[in-house]
Amino acid sequence: MTDITDTQRQAYEAAAFRRLVEHLRNRTDVQNIDMMNLTGFCRNCLSNWFQEAANADGTELTKDEARAEIYGMPYEEWREKHQTPASPAQLDAFSSRKSDH
């Protein structure tokens, strides 16, 4: 493996994160419940992690501010534009998954 510095690693991780966020902003057809059912995390999880990192660094960021960073718009606006009602199958899968923890 190529040796990379911590600074390089952080820059690459940040670039990968920005690319993931941009990908999720463009894939509005992918619902959060599907992401949760398949991967165990969703856009809201990313925004929570973003908020936690900011707050740990001394930057007070609200839940709504963090969500806007991930969604690229206010969360309620994204929900109105892109979120569809969860199907019974999606809800069952989510409910089953939650009981695994």
Side-chain angles (χ1 to χ4, degrees):
M1 179 173 170
T2 302
D3 288 331
I4 58 175
T5 66
D6 286 341
T7 300
Q8 287 173 309
R9 176 175 286 104
Q10 289 175 355
Y12 304 156
E13 289 168 347
F17 176 79
R18 287 190 299 270
R19 190 166 179 181
L20 171 63
V21 168
E22 186 63 28
H23 178 78
L24 292 174
R25 286 180 183 175
N26 290 325
R27 289 298 310 270
T28 57
D29 59 311
V30 177
Q31 297 295 302
N32 281 336
I33 194 164
D34 292 324
M35 291 176 64
M36 285 298 295
N37 287 339
L38 292 172
T39 66
F41 80 99
C42 69
R43 293 170 184 89
N44 291 338
C45 297
L46 287 176
S47 68
N48 292 342
W49 301 336
F50 190 89
Q51 180 187 21
E52 290 169 9
N55 292 346
D57 191 46
T59 302
E60 288 300 318
L61 199 64
T62 68
K63 181 179 181 176
D64 288 337
E65 291 169 332
R67 284 186 174 184
E69 289 291 329
I70 300 302
Y71 285 91
M73 65 183 69
Y75 177 60
E76 289 303 319
E77 181 180 339
W78 189 92
R79 285 183 64 190
E80 289 173 15
K81 288 182 176 182
H82 305 295
Q83 187 167 312
T84 59
S87 71
Q90 289 170 316
L91 292 172
D92 286 345
F94 183 73
S95 180
S96 297
R97 187 178 193 321
K98 283 179 59 175
S99 65
D100 290 342
H101 298 311

